Amino acid sequence: MAKVLINSDFARLWVGQAVSTVGDFVFDMTLVVWVALVLYGGDKRIGPLAIGGLVVCNVVATMVVGPVAGVFVDRWNHRRIMLNSEAIRFFMVGTVTAMTFFLSASALPRWVWITILYGAVFGVAVAEQFFNPARFATIGDIVPGEVDRARAFGLGSATAATSAILGPSLAAPVLITLGVQWALLLNTLSYAVSYLAIRSVRFPATEKTDAPPSSVRSEFRAGLKMFLGNRFLVALAIIGVFAQLGTGPINTLDIYFMHENLHTNPKLIGIMTTVMGCGALVGSLLAGWVVQKINARNTTWLGLVLTGILLFVEARQTTFIAALIVIFATFIPLTLLNTALSPQLLAVTPREYLGRMSAFLSPLIQVSSMLSIAISSVLVSTVLLNFHETVGGVHIGRIDTLYAAGGVIIISAGIYGYFRLPPSSLSAVPVEIPAQPTSLEPIEVETPVVEA
C-alpha cells in the first residue's frame, strides 16, 4: 500500500482528501435536491435561480478571495492553514446540519434558509481558497521527483473522478431514506476525518512559521510580477486556458449532442457522465506510469493533441454505444495532461510563491471555463441555431461543429506546448524573483489593485 500511495505521509494526506471529496459531492448534491424539491417545492421559476445562486457563491469566492488568499498561504504555516480550513468547513456545514436536525423546512421563511445556505457555501468555498494552495505546496514538500509527483496528482484526480461517481449515488439514497440532515452530517464528519488525517502527516522541518504579510498589495504585485515574468508559468497557464476553452462544448452541450447527433434519450446522460468519470479514473491511474515513460512535458503536449483528435472523432459519432467508447478514450489523455501539468508547475515556481501561483491560476482557469460555456451557449442559440450543411457527403450540424472547433483549439494548445513547455530535466528555472517586502514594514490589509 505504501508503494501505491508513494509514502506514508502522502497516504495520510490522500485518505483525508478522499473522504473529504466524497463528502463534498454528497453536500453539493444534497443542497441542489433539497433547494429544488423541498424549499421551493419544484417551483420552475425560482428554484433554478436559487440553485444558480449556490454556483455563484463558489465563483465569487474563487474570483475575489482566491488571489488574495495566495499571499497569506505563502506566509503562513501550511499545516495550520489546512487544519484551520477543515475546522472552518466543519463549523459551517455542521451549523447547517444542526439546524436541519432541530428545524423543519417550514420552520423558517425560505429566504432565511437560502441565505443560511448561501453563507455556508460561500464560507466553505473561501476556506478552499486557502486549503487547496496549501495542499498543493505540501505535496511538493512531501513527494519528491517528477514521476512520484505525477502519481500523487494522478491519485488525487482519480479520487475526484471516483467521488464524482460515488458521491451523488450515495447522496440520493441517504437523502431520500434518512433525510437531508443525515446527508449533511456525512459531509460534516468527512471534514473531521480530513482534519485528523492532516494532523498525522509529518511535515518537513523547514515548514514555515506564521508571519503576517508586510503589505498585501505589494506582495500580491510581487507574486503577479513573478507569474508574468516566468515564461514557463505563462506557457502552462496558456495551455490550461486553451484546454478549458476547447472542452467547454463538452461540458455545456453533451445533453444536446445526445439528442441531435446520437438520437438517444437525453435521460441517459447519467450513463455518459459515468463513462466520462471512468475514463478520467483510468487516465489518473496511468499518469505516473506514462510520465515515467515519456516525462511530464511530452505527456502534456501529446495529451492535448490526442484529446483534440478524439474530440473530432467524437463529433462524428451517430450511435450511443460508439460515442461512449470514444468519450471514454477522450477522457484518458485529457486527465493525463491535467495530471502532468502539476509537477511542472511545482518545478518552475519558486517555493515562496507557490501559494500565489496556485491562487492566480485557479481564477484564470475558472474564468476560461465560464467564458467557454458562455460562448458555446450563445453560439448554439444564435449563429448556429439552424446550422446544417453537407460537405463531401458528410452532414455537419451545430453541436458537432462546436465539438470540432474545440478539438482545433486543444490541438493548437498541444502544438504550442511542444515549443514552449520547459524541458523535462528542469529542476529549477532561472527566474528573477521580485524582492519580498520586509516584515518590518507596517502591515497593510487592503484590496489588491493590479495595474494594467
Side-chain angles (χ1 to χ4, degrees), residues 253 260 375-389 396-403 405:
L253 307 173
E260 298 180 21
I375 292 174
S376 300
S377 301
V378 170
L379 287 178
V380 81
S381 303
T382 55
V383 178
L384 298 175
L385 179 60
N386 298 308
F387 178 76
H388 294 282
E389 293 290 342
I396 301 174
R398 59 173 187 161
I399 307 300
D400 49 277
T401 296
L402 287 175
Y403 273 39

Side-chain angles (χ1 to χ4, degrees), residues 27 41 89 100 135 179 185 199 206 212 230 252 255 264 266 282 346 351 396 415 437 442 446:
F27 180 63
R89 292 197 278 191
T100 59
R135 183 180 181 277
L185 182 61
R199 277 185 61 89
T206 56
N230 186 322
T252 312
I255 193 167
T264 302
V282 172
L346 282 170
R351 187 179 185 278
I396 301 174
I415 296 172
E446 49 190 331

Side-chain angles (χ1 to χ4, degrees), residues 57-58 60-62 65-66 69 85 88-89 119-132:
C57 288
N58 274 295
V60 171
T62 302
V65 180
S85 296
I88 290 171
R89 292 197 278 191
V121 170
F122 183 77
V124 168
V126 167
E128 287 178 354
Q129 305 315 304
F130 291 87
F131 181 90
N132 291 338

Side-chain angles (χ1 to χ4, degrees), residues 211-353:
S214 56
S215 168
V216 173
R217 173 179 290 183
S218 60
E219 293 198 23
F220 178 89
R221 287 177 172 172
L224 188 60
K225 181 179 179 181
M226 182 283 302
F227 191 95
L228 297 177
N230 186 322
R231 66 185 185 277
F232 295 127
L233 270 180
V234 171
L236 290 166
I238 290 173
I239 286 174
V241 167
F242 275 85
Q244 287 292 329
L245 291 175
T247 55
I250 304 176
N251 300 326
T252 312
L253 307 173
D254 49 3
I255 193 167
Y256 299 101
F257 179 71
M258 291 182 64
H259 176 67
E260 298 180 21
N261 293 73
L262 304 182
H263 314 292
T264 302
N265 191 331
K267 291 182 179 180
L268 298 177
I269 187 68
I271 297 176
M272 181 180 287
T273 303
T274 300
V275 169
M276 292 178 181
C278 291
L281 178 60
V282 172
S284 302
L285 296 176
L286 288 175
W289 179 81
V290 173
V291 169
Q292 185 176 23
K293 294 296 182 182
I294 64 174
N295 69 52
R297 176 186 183 277
N298 291 333
T299 300
T300 300
W301 76 264
L302 282 172
L304 284 162
V305 172
L306 186 56
T307 299
I309 293 173
L310 286 170
L311 192 52
F312 259 109
V313 176
E314 181 182 342
R316 303 311 320 147
Q317 300 308 305
T318 57
T319 63
F320 187 53
I321 298 299
L324 290 180
I325 295 172
V326 178
I327 289 169
F328 174 82
T330 302
F331 271 77
I332 293 175
L334 179 61
T335 308
L336 279 174
L337 72 91
N338 285 335
T339 300
L341 283 172
S342 296
Q344 295 175 86
L345 288 169
L346 282 170
V348 303
T349 306
R351 187 179 185 278
E352 59 269 35
Y353 286 91

Side-chain angles (χ1 to χ4, degrees), residues 62-64 66-67 129 358-368:
T62 302
M63 302 299 299
V64 176
Q129 305 315 304
S358 182
F360 290 150
L361 194 57
S362 293
L364 189 61
I365 298 300
Q366 181 90 33
V367 169
S368 304

